[in-house]
Amino acid sequence: MRMDNETYRLKVESYFELLIGEGEKMHQDIQAELEKLAMSPRKGRYFLRVVATQKRFVQVHFYRHFMQHARHEDAFVDLERHIRHMFYEDREDAKALLADVTEESTLPALFRVIALTEEGWLAGELIRIVLTLPSKELYAPIARDLRSKNYLLQCLVIYLIGKAADEDLLDLLIGFYRKPEGEKVDRLEKKALDALLEGARSIGPSVARRWLKDKSARIRAVALVLLAEQMPPEAIPDLVGLFLVDPKTRLSIAKVLLAYEEAGLISWLPDAPLAQGAKSVLQGAKSGPLVAILRNLMREESPVVRQVAAKLSSLAPISDEVASQLRLLVTEDKVTAVQIAALQALVIVDRGKLMSALVEIFAAESPKKDVYDAAAAITDQLGPKEKQILEQGVRDRLAMREVAMERVVSSVEWWRHDT
């Protein structure tokens, strides 16, 4: 028969009065009865009130027992109310007591309390206590609640992962981010991304480099956000290799590589120390496939991809096919940055095609100013013989254009004469 609340409270109090024997030891039979009474349905608040009046070691034992065996919503509601009042009465004592109670086995209940409470300050205090635990104790409870499909619990453990900044916990979240599940998936994805970035920033670039090799393009995209911020030089070979083979993240990688260049962390001159990371990838690739990849990338729709492909060409093994594609970019591409990148690559890749491209630029009727200036800067570095060849080439091209114009004009005059 179910006891009323007052009878239950009196019974619990009487057992606690008999609990402690000689040497401050608990009687095992009475302890067992109290542990059984602790989990009586809808009686948690009364049990916890009595526990709060006991000696500290008794409190620790029974709070821990209650939290370990709480399964129903009413128990978590009672626990949240009780902890809240503990903080109202003596915040420092409550924090110290809960620190003694908090361990892997009690975390599930504590997570439920944090998720339940409407008091932001209380949630913050409890989260700080949780984060004092070693990551290995957090792992199993967080893993369980991450897949619980309970939105509040999922939000909480995602937040904890970001704050804990532990690689194993971040890997848990990576698995969730690949395939999120639960209510409000869009919000969970956003929270997971924020936590991944926060946690990884605290650890360092090793995490981003590892994620860059993940099978999921979503995870590689997270890695690229981090690498764009952290810019570790040791990631350059990884970025170049992925740029060549990964169409899903290629545009983002191209932007990161250009950011590296702007920061002075990469060079496109084959003998420069800052070029060796990228060069090692290109020189180590099979020639035929690499040539095909570079030519295709220089025909990509994205101008940023074309620009980076042109720059990388200067570090690749010499190829007439690649040089021809660079020559086309100089004269036919619509984007100034791409034209300049191709022009600068030709300085290294093929001097003959470089001279041909320079002739076209200087003989053009209305060349783009930036392209013209880049060509002029390259011309300043040419030897006397090359400058003579260039000047003669420009004169010949202008003469050819003059002859062509005369033919057009004479044909027009002939038409007018006939009429």
Side-chain angles (χ1 to χ4, degrees):
M1 185 175 179
R2 182 174 296 175
M3 288 182 284
D4 61 62
N5 295 336
E6 184 62 17
T7 303
Y8 173 84
R9 182 183 63 79
L10 292 172
K11 187 172 184 178
V12 170
E13 287 180 348
S14 65
Y15 273 121
F16 269 114
E17 290 174 1
L18 302 172
L19 177 64
I20 307 301
E22 294 182 5
E24 295 290 297
K25 291 184 178 179
M26 293 187 284
H27 293 295
Q28 296 298 309
D29 54 343
I30 296 177
Q31 176 185 328
E33 285 296 327
L34 282 168
E35 288 174 350
K36 183 178 178 181
L37 283 168
M39 308 322 299
S40 300
R42 291 179 291 282
K43 294 290 190 289
R45 71 178 70 180
Y46 306 106
F47 183 85
L48 293 170
R49 285 176 190 170
V50 180
V51 172
T53 65
Q54 306 304 308
K55 295 181 178 181
R56 176 56 66 95
F57 77 97
V58 176
Q59 288 181 335
V60 170
H61 174 82
F62 283 99
Y63 282 140
R64 181 180 292 129
H65 175 82
F66 188 91
M67 294 170 74
Q68 288 171 338
H69 295 86
R71 296 290 182 273
H72 302 293
E73 189 71 13
D74 64 281
F76 298 124
V77 170
D78 290 340
L79 185 60
E80 186 275 336
R81 181 187 294 111
H82 184 76
I83 290 175
R84 180 158 30 97
H85 284 292
M86 287 170 58
F87 274 86
Y88 285 147
E89 291 174 359
D90 190 333
R91 179 171 295 205
E92 294 306 314
D93 184 66
K95 286 159 61 175
L97 177 56
L98 285 171
D100 291 338
V101 172
T102 302
E103 59 183 36
E104 182 177 341
S105 64
T106 60
L107 282 177
L110 200 56
F111 287 173
R112 293 297 295 264
V113 170
I114 297 170
L116 273 172
T117 188
E118 296 180 358
E119 302 290 346
W121 61 266
L122 178 58
E125 294 283 11
L126 297 179
I127 285 171
R128 279 188 282 275
I129 292 171
V130 168
L131 289 175
T132 62
L133 291 181
S135 298
K136 62 182 180 180
E137 292 192 44
L138 297 174
Y139 189 91
I142 284 179
R144 189 189 71 175
D145 285 345
L146 192 59
R147 296 292 179 181
S148 66
K149 297 186 180 180
N150 180 313
Y151 178 70
L152 292 178
L153 283 176
Q154 288 177 299
C155 289
L156 170 62
V157 296
I158 288 170
Y159 176 83
L160 290 173
I161 291 172
K163 294 298 181 185
D166 174 81
E167 288 200 40
D168 290 336
L169 293 177
L170 286 171
D171 285 343
L172 264 183
L173 190 52
I174 280 291
F176 178 82
Y177 189 66
R178 282 195 199 98
K179 191 177 180 182
E181 53 185 322
E183 299 178 8
K184 306 175 185 176
V185 169
D186 291 346
R187 294 186 187 179
L188 290 173
E189 284 183 344
K190 177 63 169 61
K191 291 178 183 294
L193 175 58
D194 292 342
L196 287 170
L197 294 174
E198 180 181 9
R201 286 181 184 121
S202 300
I203 295 174
S206 61
V207 176
R209 290 187 65 195
R210 184 161 57 83
W211 290 350
L212 198 63
K213 301 171 185 176
D214 196 273
K215 294 183 294 183
S216 168
R218 301 187 79 217
I219 309 306
R220 298 197 296 275
V222 176
L224 289 170
V225 172
L226 291 165
L227 292 175
E229 296 174 356
Q230 298 166 340
M231 291 192 182
E234 60 271 22
I236 289 174
D238 302 328
L239 290 165
V240 171
L242 198 59
F243 174 79
L244 295 174
V245 301
D246 183 16
K248 291 184 178 179
T249 56
R250 182 171 286 138
L251 176 57
S252 296
I253 297 170
K255 292 177 180 177
V256 173
L257 286 171
L258 291 178
Y260 268 75
E261 180 186 15
E262 187 175 353
L265 296 173
I266 191 171
S267 172
W268 313 109
L269 301 175
D271 295 329
L274 292 177
Q276 299 315 303
K279 183 179 176 181
S280 65
V281 176
L282 295 160
Q283 295 288 335
K286 292 184 178 179
S287 178
L290 178 62
V291 167
I293 288 171
L294 288 174
R295 291 187 66 201
N296 287 334
L297 293 180
M298 285 189 275
R299 293 194 288 257
E300 277 279 337
E301 181 179 352
S302 166
V304 177
V305 171
R306 298 198 303 273
Q307 182 183 0
V308 171
K311 290 176 179 289
L312 287 173
S313 297
S314 64
L315 305 178
I318 300 299
S319 162
D320 185 65
E321 293 171 278
V322 170
S324 297
Q325 191 65 45
L326 289 169
R327 170 74 174 73
L328 285 174
L329 287 182
V330 172
T331 56
E332 297 183 8
D333 204 279
K334 306 298 183 185
V335 179
T336 299
V338 177
Q339 291 177 280
I340 293 173
L343 188 61
Q344 292 170 339
L346 278 176
V347 174
I348 298 162
V349 173
D350 192 316
R351 302 288 282 198
K353 289 184 172 58
L354 168 68
M355 301 299 288
S356 172
L358 289 173
V359 167
E360 292 227 14
I361 293 169
F362 291 129
E365 288 189 31
S366 54
K368 296 177 184 176
K369 182 180 184 305
D370 290 342
V371 176
Y372 188 94
D373 291 344
I378 291 171
T379 302
D380 290 341
Q381 301 170 19
L382 298 178
K385 186 174 180 180
E386 287 179 314
K387 286 183 178 179
Q388 289 177 3
I389 295 172
L390 176 60
E391 291 170 0
Q392 185 60 51
V394 173
R395 282 196 294 268
D396 292 345
R397 179 59 60 89
L398 291 173
M400 290 174 60
R401 193 167 70 209
E402 185 69 24
V403 170
M405 286 300 297
E406 287 178 359
R407 288 175 179 170
V408 171
V409 170
S410 64
S411 65
V412 170
E413 290 300 321
W414 171 82
W415 175 79
R416 291 176 63 187
H417 179 73
D418 278 0
T419 57

